[in-house]
Amino acid sequence: MAHSVFPSLMPADNVLSDYGLCQTSDIEEARSVGERIFCSNKIYSKDPKFNTRVNYRRVNSLGVGRMTYGGETVIDPDVMELFSLVQVPISGREFIESDGKRALFESTQGVVLNSHARTRIHHFGGDKIIIRVDNEVVRRQCQQHLGRTLHKDVEFDAVMNLDTPDGRNMVKMLAWMCDVLSTSDKLSPLLSTQFETTFVGMLLSCQPNNYSAELCEEKGQSIAPSFVKRIEQYIEEHAHEPISVGDLAEYAGVSTRSLFAGFRRFRNTSPMHFLKEVRLRRVHEELLRTPPSSGAVTTVAFRWGFSHLGHFTTDYKRRFGETPSETLQRS
C-alpha cells in the first residue's frame, strides 16, 4: 500500500505501544488472546512470518487496539453476540467474508463486523486499528437520537468507505482517540465518557445502517430558545461531572436529534462543543487563581477533562489568545 489513510500524529508502531497484550509466533497463544478480548476462534497459518502482535486498551464500553498477524493467516471466529467490531487499516490488506458477502479491506476501505454475523478473515499482513463496541451502548444511543425504542438491533453496512467526507471524519476522530490513549496513562471520567459517546455518535452518523434514513430525517418542528437555555444552564452547573449527549437529552426530555437541532438553529454550535467551551473557561478561571508551579497546567487541564495537552493548548490559545502557561504566569 502506498500510504495509510490513518492520520495518526505519531508513528504507527507507537500507537498504544504501552498496552501490549501479546507478541507471539505461537498460534495457540494468539488464539487464546483473541478469545479473551473478542470471542472463541480458530487460527490457521503456515507463513514463517506469522507473528501476532496485539496492543489493546479498554475505555468504558469501548475496546481500542492495534494488531497484526504478521504473515498470511486465516482467522475463523465464532459469532460475536454482544459487540460489533470496527477495523481501519494502517497498512496491508485482508479479504473478509461476512454472512456470505466478501469485501476487500485495504487502503481506503475499512469494515464493520456486526454481531451475529458469521465471519471469516484472510489476513495478508499489515497493521490495523480495531474498535470493539458493545451492542447495548450503540442501541441506547440510537434510541436517544430517535426518541423511541428500537425493535431491532443496529446493523451497519460491512464496507466502510474511508475516502468519503464521512469516512475521513471517522478516521480523524479515531486517530485523535488513539493518540490520546497512547500518551495518557490515566483518563478522567469526563474524557472516557466523551470517547464513548463521540465514537458511537460518529459511527451512527457516518456509517450506513438500518436506521440511517430515520437518523438523518429532518423534523419540521422547532425548539424554543428557553429549552436551549435550560440545557446551557445545566451544563454550566454540571461541567465538572461526566456529561454525555444522552444525559442532556434525558434531562431535557427530548431525542438527541432534537437536542442537536436546537443548538444548531439557535446557537450555531453543538451541545458538546458548548460543554468544551465552558470547561475551557473554567480552566482559564482556575489558572488565574493558581500560584505558578511545575505541573499546574497539566493538573488543572486533566481535572476539567482535557487529557491531550497538545489539542488542549491549541483550543485554549484559540479561545483566549495565549497559552495556558502564559495565563498561569499572570496569576
Side-chain angles (χ1 to χ4, degrees):
M1 189 174 69
H3 66 281
S4 172
V5 72
F6 189 74
S8 177
L9 299 178
M10 60 181 62
D13 287 346
N14 290 343
V15 174
L16 296 170
S17 58
D18 291 336
Y19 298 90
L21 283 186
C22 83
Q23 183 167 350
T24 181
S25 57
D26 182 86
I27 288 180
E28 176 56 28
E29 183 180 353
R31 187 207 61 76
S32 177
V33 170
E35 181 172 350
R36 191 162 77 243
I37 60 177
F38 301 126
C39 60
S40 298
N41 63 91
K42 297 178 181 176
I43 297 178
Y44 311 93
S45 181
K46 295 182 179 179
D47 194 323
K49 293 185 292 185
F50 176 84
N51 186 17
T52 297
R53 185 182 68 245
V54 181
N55 298 72
Y56 188 77
R57 187 177 184 183
R58 288 285 296 187
V59 184
N60 287 359
S61 71
L62 301 181
V64 183
R66 173 175 60 93
M67 67 181 301
T68 181
Y69 292 97
E72 184 176 356
T73 306
V74 173
I75 305 96
D76 190 6
D78 283 353
V79 171
M80 302 178 297
E81 296 184 354
L82 302 178
F83 64 93
S84 296
L85 193 66
V86 178
Q87 299 189 157
V88 172
I90 296 177
S91 62
R93 63 191 180 112
E94 292 179 337
F95 280 109
I96 296 179
E97 185 173 348
S98 183
D99 277 351
K101 298 179 180 179
R102 300 189 70 197
L104 176 63
F105 168 71
E106 67 172 356
S107 185
T108 58
Q109 188 162 288
V111 68
V112 181
L113 304 179
N114 289 294
S115 60
H116 308 299
R118 173 61 65 181
T119 301
R120 187 178 177 88
I121 302 170
H122 198 155
H123 178 86
F124 292 95
D127 279 77
K128 59 186 176 182
I129 297 297
I130 53 171
I131 306 93
R132 180 192 190 277
V133 56
D134 292 352
N135 289 348
E136 183 55 35
V137 175
V138 177
R139 183 185 185 89
R140 184 170 65 245
Q141 193 157 328
C142 188
Q143 286 181 159
Q144 290 169 345
H145 275 287
L146 297 178
R148 67 174 182 84
T149 300
L150 303 188
H151 299 296
K152 292 181 61 179
D153 285 341
V154 180
E155 294 185 3
F156 296 95
D157 287 3
V159 175
M160 176 179 278
N161 293 313
L162 304 176
D163 58 352
T164 64
D166 279 344
R168 286 190 287 271
N169 286 336
M170 175 64 78
V171 294
K172 287 177 183 177
M173 186 270 296
L174 289 178
W176 167 69
M177 281 179 55
C178 286
D179 287 336
V180 174
L181 291 175
S182 300
T183 56
S184 303
D185 290 336
K186 296 181 180 180
L187 295 179
S188 69
L190 300 175
L191 192 58
S192 296
T193 300
Q194 182 181 349
F195 276 156
E196 180 181 276
T197 56
T198 300
F199 174 77
V200 175
M202 287 282 286
L203 189 62
L204 288 168
S205 174
C206 297
Q207 182 63 10
N209 61 77
N210 53 331
Y211 291 99
S212 288
E214 192 175 354
L215 287 166
C216 296
E217 190 179 74
E218 289 292 338
K219 296 295 185 182
Q221 64 200 32
S222 63
I223 304 174
S226 58
F227 161 77
V228 176
K229 291 177 181 178
R230 285 182 59 224
I231 293 297
E232 288 175 330
Q233 182 178 352
Y234 180 88
I235 288 175
E236 291 281 359
E237 294 174 354
H238 297 270
H240 61 290
E241 303 172 2
I243 299 176
S244 70
V245 172
D247 295 330
L248 297 177
E250 184 175 351
Y251 172 77
V254 298
S255 68
T256 50
R257 179 179 56 197
S258 297
L259 185 66
F260 278 108
F263 269 79
R264 185 171 61 247
R265 176 174 179 180
F266 295 107
R267 295 294 185 264
N268 194 31
T269 188
S270 72
M272 300 312 288
H273 185 76
F274 179 80
L275 174 61
K276 184 173 78 170
E277 290 296 312
V278 170
R279 287 173 175 165
L280 282 171
R281 174 159 46 84
R282 299 294 173 81
V283 171
H284 180 72
E285 293 168 354
E286 188 168 338
L287 288 177
L288 287 174
R289 301 191 303 267
T290 302
S293 64
S294 176
V297 169
T298 301
T299 300
V300 174
F302 185 80
R303 180 158 51 244
W304 287 101
F306 299 100
S307 185
H308 194 293
L309 287 181
H311 295 308
F312 161 71
T313 301
T314 299
D315 290 338
Y316 187 96
K317 188 171 184 179
R318 169 190 55 78
R319 176 69 175 79
F320 299 106
E322 63 182 9
T323 66
S325 297
E326 290 171 339
T327 301
L328 187 65
Q329 293 304 314
R330 296 195 293 112
S331 62

